[in-house]
Amino acid sequence: MAHTWAVLAALIFLLINQTEGPAYNTLSVEAGQEAVLSCPYISEASLLLATWKMKCSTCCLFAYRSDHKETRKLNCSERVMWKYSPEKDPALRIYPVNIGDEGNYTCEIVSSAGNFLFFSSLTVIVPPTVTLTRDESKVAVCQASAGKPAAEISWIPASNHSTQEEVHHPNGTVTRMSYIGWVNSSHATVTCLVTHSATNQTLSLDLSHTSLRLPYLLIGGSASVAVTLCLIFRYKAFRLREVVHGSEVPFATRNFRSTPSHEKTEAVKPPVLSESIYQNYDPRMIHMNY
Protein backbone atom coordinates (compact mmCIF):
# COMPACT_ATOMS: atom_id res chain seq x y z
CA MET A 1 0.00 0.00 0.00
CA ALA A 2 2.81 2.41 0.86
CA HIS A 3 4.42 1.69 -2.48
CA THR A 4 1.14 2.48 -4.29
CA TRP A 5 0.81 5.84 -2.53
CA ALA A 6 4.38 6.70 -3.44
CA VAL A 7 3.70 6.01 -7.10
CA LEU A 8 0.51 8.09 -7.05
CA ALA A 9 2.32 10.99 -5.39
CA ALA A 10 5.02 10.92 -8.07
CA LEU A 11 2.39 10.90 -10.84
CA ILE A 12 0.54 13.83 -9.29
CA PHE A 13 3.83 15.76 -9.01
CA LEU A 14 4.57 15.18 -12.70
CA LEU A 15 1.06 16.20 -13.75
CA ILE A 16 1.30 19.44 -11.78
CA ASN A 17 4.64 20.33 -13.38
CA GLN A 18 3.37 19.53 -16.89
CA THR A 19 0.20 21.59 -16.36
CA GLU A 20 2.09 24.69 -15.17
CA GLY A 21 4.66 24.38 -17.93
CA PRO A 22 7.78 26.54 -18.10
CA ALA A 23 7.13 29.89 -16.43
CA TYR A 24 10.43 31.46 -17.41
CA ASN A 25 12.23 31.66 -20.73
CA THR A 26 15.61 33.09 -21.73
CA LEU A 27 16.42 34.35 -25.19
CA SER A 28 19.67 35.67 -26.72
CA VAL A 29 19.47 37.60 -30.00
CA GLU A 30 22.13 39.37 -32.04
CA ALA A 31 21.65 43.12 -32.45
CA GLY A 32 19.84 43.95 -35.67
CA GLN A 33 18.03 40.61 -35.82
CA GLU A 34 14.49 39.60 -34.86
CA ALA A 35 13.51 38.77 -31.28
CA VAL A 36 10.33 36.74 -30.70
CA LEU A 37 9.09 36.36 -27.10
CA SER A 38 6.57 33.56 -26.76
CA CYS A 39 3.53 33.46 -24.51
CA PRO A 40 1.29 30.49 -23.54
CA TYR A 41 -1.20 29.66 -26.26
CA ILE A 42 -4.82 30.43 -25.38
CA SER A 43 -7.72 29.43 -27.58
CA GLU A 44 -9.63 32.24 -29.27
CA ALA A 45 -12.82 31.58 -27.34
CA SER A 46 -11.26 32.02 -23.89
CA LEU A 47 -8.88 34.96 -24.51
CA LEU A 48 -10.00 38.25 -22.96
CA LEU A 49 -6.79 40.28 -22.62
CA ALA A 50 -3.13 39.78 -23.54
CA THR A 51 -0.56 42.22 -22.14
CA TRP A 52 3.21 42.50 -22.58
CA LYS A 53 5.23 44.78 -20.33
CA MET A 54 8.86 45.31 -19.49
CA LYS A 55 10.21 45.50 -15.93
CA CYS A 56 10.38 49.28 -15.97
CA SER A 57 7.95 52.00 -14.87
CA THR A 58 8.43 53.99 -18.09
CA CYS A 59 8.93 51.04 -20.43
CA CYS A 60 6.70 49.66 -23.15
CA LEU A 61 3.20 48.37 -22.41
CA PHE A 62 1.63 46.41 -25.27
CA ALA A 63 -1.92 45.07 -24.88
CA TYR A 64 -4.76 43.48 -26.86
CA ARG A 65 -8.44 43.30 -25.94
CA SER A 66 -10.36 40.57 -27.71
CA ASP A 67 -13.82 42.03 -27.06
CA HIS A 68 -12.86 45.28 -28.86
CA LYS A 69 -10.42 43.66 -31.31
CA GLU A 70 -8.06 46.47 -30.38
CA THR A 71 -4.31 46.77 -29.71
CA ARG A 72 -2.90 49.59 -27.60
CA LYS A 73 0.69 50.76 -27.11
CA LEU A 74 2.20 52.85 -24.34
CA ASN A 75 5.83 54.03 -24.58
CA CYS A 76 6.47 51.44 -27.30
CA SER A 77 8.68 51.73 -30.34
CA GLU A 78 7.38 51.04 -33.84
CA ARG A 79 9.73 48.05 -33.80
CA VAL A 80 7.43 46.31 -31.29
CA MET A 81 4.50 44.38 -32.76
CA TRP A 82 2.64 41.08 -32.65
CA LYS A 83 4.41 38.17 -34.30
CA TYR A 84 1.09 36.53 -35.20
CA SER A 85 -2.56 37.32 -34.62
CA PRO A 86 -2.82 37.94 -30.84
CA GLU A 87 -6.10 36.04 -30.65
CA LYS A 88 -4.33 32.86 -31.79
CA ASP A 89 -0.78 33.38 -30.49
CA PRO A 90 0.14 36.54 -28.51
CA ALA A 91 3.88 36.24 -29.17
CA LEU A 92 5.77 39.55 -29.14
CA ARG A 93 8.06 40.54 -32.04
CA ILE A 94 10.85 43.12 -31.81
CA TYR A 95 12.68 43.94 -35.05
CA PRO A 96 15.34 45.07 -35.41
CA VAL A 97 16.37 44.49 -31.84
CA ASN A 98 18.94 46.77 -30.18
CA ILE A 99 20.74 47.01 -26.84
CA GLY A 100 17.97 49.14 -25.33
CA ASP A 101 15.51 46.25 -25.72
CA GLU A 102 17.47 44.04 -23.34
CA GLY A 103 15.72 43.13 -20.10
CA ASN A 104 12.93 41.12 -18.50
CA TYR A 105 9.45 40.91 -20.05
CA THR A 106 6.17 39.71 -18.62
CA CYS A 107 3.26 38.32 -20.62
CA GLU A 108 -0.07 38.33 -18.77
CA ILE A 109 -3.05 36.43 -20.15
CA VAL A 110 -6.57 37.05 -18.85
CA SER A 111 -9.02 34.37 -19.96
CA SER A 112 -12.22 32.70 -18.89
CA ALA A 113 -10.10 30.01 -17.25
CA GLY A 114 -8.09 32.47 -15.13
CA ASN A 115 -4.97 34.62 -15.24
CA PHE A 116 -1.57 33.36 -16.42
CA LEU A 117 1.89 34.89 -16.29
CA PHE A 118 4.87 34.06 -18.45
CA PHE A 119 8.32 35.62 -17.94
CA SER A 120 11.02 36.11 -20.57
CA SER A 121 14.57 37.42 -20.28
CA LEU A 122 16.01 38.99 -23.44
CA THR A 123 19.77 39.33 -23.88
CA VAL A 124 21.12 41.32 -26.84
CA ILE A 125 24.46 40.21 -28.30
CA VAL A 126 26.69 42.65 -30.19
CA PRO A 127 29.46 41.21 -32.42
CA PRO A 128 32.77 43.08 -32.07
CA THR A 129 34.75 44.79 -34.83
CA VAL A 130 38.10 42.97 -35.06
CA THR A 131 41.40 44.50 -36.26
CA LEU A 132 45.03 43.33 -36.20
CA THR A 133 47.79 45.93 -36.52
CA ARG A 134 51.38 46.54 -35.38
CA ASP A 135 53.24 49.46 -33.87
CA GLU A 136 56.79 50.77 -34.37
CA SER A 137 58.29 48.38 -31.80
CA LYS A 138 57.14 45.20 -33.59
CA VAL A 139 54.25 44.67 -31.20
CA ALA A 140 51.10 43.17 -32.73
CA VAL A 141 47.81 44.61 -31.47
CA CYS A 142 44.62 42.56 -31.78
CA GLN A 143 41.54 44.61 -30.95
CA ALA A 144 37.92 43.48 -30.59
CA SER A 145 35.91 46.71 -30.39
CA ALA A 146 32.45 47.29 -28.88
CA GLY A 147 31.45 43.69 -28.34
CA LYS A 148 28.80 42.38 -25.96
CA PRO A 149 29.80 40.33 -24.12
CA ALA A 150 33.55 40.95 -24.26
CA ALA A 151 35.38 38.82 -26.83
CA GLU A 152 38.09 36.34 -25.91
CA ILE A 153 41.48 36.86 -27.66
CA SER A 154 44.23 34.27 -28.04
CA TRP A 155 47.41 33.99 -30.15
CA ILE A 156 49.13 31.44 -32.38
CA PRO A 157 51.86 30.70 -31.51
CA ALA A 158 50.90 30.98 -27.85
CA SER A 159 53.06 33.32 -25.82
CA ASN A 160 53.49 34.15 -22.16
CA HIS A 161 54.48 37.69 -23.14
CA SER A 162 51.04 38.79 -24.32
CA THR A 163 49.13 41.40 -22.30
CA GLN A 164 45.50 42.52 -22.38
CA GLU A 165 43.42 45.52 -21.45
CA GLU A 166 39.77 46.41 -21.90
CA VAL A 167 37.51 49.45 -21.95
CA HIS A 168 33.87 49.33 -20.77
CA HIS A 169 31.49 51.61 -22.68
CA PRO A 170 28.32 53.20 -21.22
CA ASN A 171 26.03 51.16 -23.50
CA GLY A 172 27.29 47.88 -22.05
CA THR A 173 29.72 46.96 -24.83
CA VAL A 174 33.39 46.21 -24.17
CA THR A 175 36.53 46.84 -26.23
CA ARG A 176 39.31 44.35 -25.51
CA MET A 177 42.91 44.71 -26.75
CA SER A 178 45.70 42.12 -26.66
CA TYR A 179 49.39 42.85 -27.32
CA ILE A 180 52.16 40.44 -28.29
CA GLY A 181 55.77 41.18 -29.26
CA TRP A 182 57.81 39.49 -31.98
CA VAL A 183 60.22 37.51 -29.83
CA ASN A 184 60.87 34.48 -32.07
CA SER A 185 62.31 35.06 -35.54
CA SER A 186 61.37 31.51 -36.57
CA HIS A 187 57.68 32.45 -36.23
CA ALA A 188 57.48 35.77 -38.01
CA THR A 189 53.72 35.40 -38.59
CA VAL A 190 51.36 35.82 -35.64
CA THR A 191 47.69 34.84 -35.72
CA CYS A 192 44.98 36.43 -33.61
CA LEU A 193 41.97 34.27 -32.65
CA VAL A 194 38.84 36.14 -31.54
CA THR A 195 36.08 34.07 -29.96
CA HIS A 196 32.63 35.55 -29.40
CA SER A 197 29.11 34.21 -29.01
CA ALA A 198 28.10 36.03 -32.21
CA THR A 199 31.21 35.44 -34.34
CA ASN A 200 34.63 33.77 -34.47
CA GLN A 201 37.38 35.45 -36.47
CA THR A 202 41.01 34.70 -37.32
CA LEU A 203 43.49 37.34 -38.52
CA SER A 204 47.20 36.92 -39.35
CA LEU A 205 50.08 39.40 -39.61
CA ASP A 206 53.68 38.99 -40.84
CA LEU A 207 55.74 41.05 -38.40
CA SER A 208 59.03 40.57 -40.25
CA HIS A 209 57.59 41.81 -43.55
CA THR A 210 55.86 44.85 -42.13
CA SER A 211 58.86 45.78 -39.98
CA LEU A 212 61.19 45.91 -43.01
CA ARG A 213 58.91 47.90 -45.25
CA LEU A 214 58.83 51.00 -43.07
CA PRO A 215 62.63 51.72 -42.94
CA TYR A 216 62.97 51.15 -46.68
CA LEU A 217 60.10 53.49 -47.29
CA LEU A 218 61.63 56.20 -45.09
CA ILE A 219 65.11 55.80 -46.61
CA GLY A 220 63.74 55.80 -50.14
CA GLY A 221 61.60 58.83 -49.42
CA SER A 222 64.50 60.82 -47.92
CA ALA A 223 66.79 59.94 -50.85
CA SER A 224 64.14 61.02 -53.32
CA VAL A 225 63.75 64.39 -51.60
CA ALA A 226 67.52 65.00 -51.52
CA VAL A 227 68.03 64.03 -55.17
CA THR A 228 65.10 66.16 -56.31
CA LEU A 229 66.31 69.23 -54.40
CA CYS A 230 69.82 68.78 -55.77
CA LEU A 231 68.54 68.57 -59.36
CA ILE A 232 66.36 71.65 -58.91
CA PHE A 233 69.15 73.85 -57.57
CA ARG A 234 71.65 72.59 -60.17
CA TYR A 235 69.15 73.40 -62.90
CA LYS A 236 68.63 76.89 -61.45
CA ALA A 237 72.39 77.49 -61.36
CA PHE A 238 72.83 76.26 -64.93
CA ARG A 239 70.08 78.54 -66.24
CA LEU A 240 71.58 81.50 -64.41
CA ARG A 241 75.04 80.93 -65.93
CA GLU A 242 73.49 80.46 -69.37
CA VAL A 243 71.67 83.78 -69.15
CA VAL A 244 74.78 85.63 -67.97
CA HIS A 245 77.24 84.16 -70.49
CA GLY A 246 74.76 84.10 -73.34
CA SER A 247 74.16 87.86 -73.09
CA GLU A 248 77.84 88.87 -72.84
CA VAL A 249 78.90 87.39 -76.19
CA PRO A 250 76.70 89.56 -78.46
CA PHE A 251 77.62 92.72 -76.58
CA ALA A 252 81.36 91.91 -76.70
CA THR A 253 81.48 91.15 -80.45
CA ARG A 254 78.95 93.65 -81.73
CA ASN A 255 81.46 96.57 -81.90
CA PHE A 256 84.64 94.54 -82.35
CA ARG A 257 85.15 95.87 -85.89
CA SER A 258 87.46 98.93 -86.39
CA THR A 259 85.66 102.24 -86.23
CA PRO A 260 86.75 105.27 -88.26
CA SER A 261 88.04 108.17 -86.24
CA HIS A 262 85.39 110.55 -87.60
CA GLU A 263 82.55 108.25 -86.47
CA LYS A 264 81.24 108.65 -82.95
CA THR A 265 81.48 105.50 -81.04
CA GLU A 266 78.79 104.78 -78.47
CA ALA A 267 79.82 103.35 -75.19
CA VAL A 268 78.80 99.80 -74.79
CA LYS A 269 76.74 99.34 -71.66
CA PRO A 270 76.99 96.10 -69.71
CA PRO A 271 73.91 93.96 -69.91
CA VAL A 272 71.30 94.39 -67.26
CA LEU A 273 70.05 91.07 -66.01
CA SER A 274 66.33 90.92 -65.56
CA GLU A 275 65.10 90.12 -62.09
CA SER A 276 62.05 88.35 -63.53
CA ILE A 277 63.66 84.96 -63.08
CA TYR A 278 63.58 85.50 -59.34
CA GLN A 279 60.08 86.93 -59.06
CA ASN A 280 58.21 83.61 -58.85
CA TYR A 281 60.93 81.62 -57.13
CA ASP A 282 60.04 80.47 -53.64
CA PRO A 283 61.74 77.37 -52.18
CA ARG A 284 58.64 76.73 -50.08
CA MET A 285 56.58 76.21 -53.22
CA ILE A 286 58.56 73.11 -54.20
CA HIS A 287 56.23 70.10 -54.25
CA MET A 288 57.36 66.58 -54.87
CA ASN A 289 55.37 63.42 -55.44
CA TYR A 290 57.10 60.15 -54.81
Side-chain angles (χ1 to χ4, degrees), residues 16-24 118:
I16 291 174
N17 286 340
Q18 290 177 359
T19 301
E20 291 179 354
Y24 194 84
F118 194 80

Side-chain angles (χ1 to χ4, degrees), residues 13-161:
F13 178 79
L14 291 174
L15 289 173
I16 291 174
N17 286 340
Q18 290 177 359
T19 301
E20 291 179 354
Y24 194 84
N25 182 40
T26 59
L27 181 66
S28 296
V29 180
E30 184 177 334
Q33 302 301 317
E34 178 189 57
V36 178
L37 307 178
S38 59
C39 196
Y41 174 78
I42 300 297
S43 64
E44 181 178 348
S46 61
L47 178 65
L48 300 177
L49 178 67
T51 304
W52 276 100
K53 53 186 175 181
M54 196 175 178
K55 292 291 184 179
C56 172
S57 58
T58 59
C59 292
C60 171
L61 178 65
F62 196 58
Y64 173 78
R65 287 188 58 175
S66 61
D67 56 344
H68 292 171
K69 307 291 184 183
E70 181 183 15
T71 295
R72 289 193 176 183
K73 290 184 177 183
L74 179 62
N75 298 327
C76 294
S77 167
E78 294 297 327
R79 299 177 294 106
V80 177
M81 63 198 77
W82 298 111
K83 174 64 176 178
Y84 312 104
S85 171
E87 295 180 349
K88 298 180 180 179
D89 187 352
L92 187 68
R93 178 179 186 258
I94 306 175
Y95 178 78
V97 71
N98 59 40
I99 296 179
D101 300 321
E102 185 174 87
N104 296 321
Y105 293 78
T106 301
C107 174
E108 182 176 0
I109 299 296
V110 178
S111 68
S112 56
N115 297 350
F116 302 89
L117 292 176
F118 194 80
F119 301 97
S120 295
S121 177
L122 175 62
T123 301
V124 179
I125 300 173
V126 181
T129 301
V130 181
T131 58
L132 178 58
T133 57
R134 66 173 296 279
D135 60 16
E136 294 79 3
S137 57
K138 297 183 182 179
V139 174
V141 182
C142 185
Q143 180 168 315
S145 303
K148 183 179 175 298
E152 297 294 333
I153 300 177
S154 57
W155 294 94
I156 296 177
S159 173
N160 296 327
H161 302 282

Side-chain angles (χ1 to χ4, degrees), residues 243 272-279:
V243 170
V272 179
L273 298 179
S274 174
E275 296 292 333
S276 61
I277 61 174
Y278 299 101
Q279 290 177 359

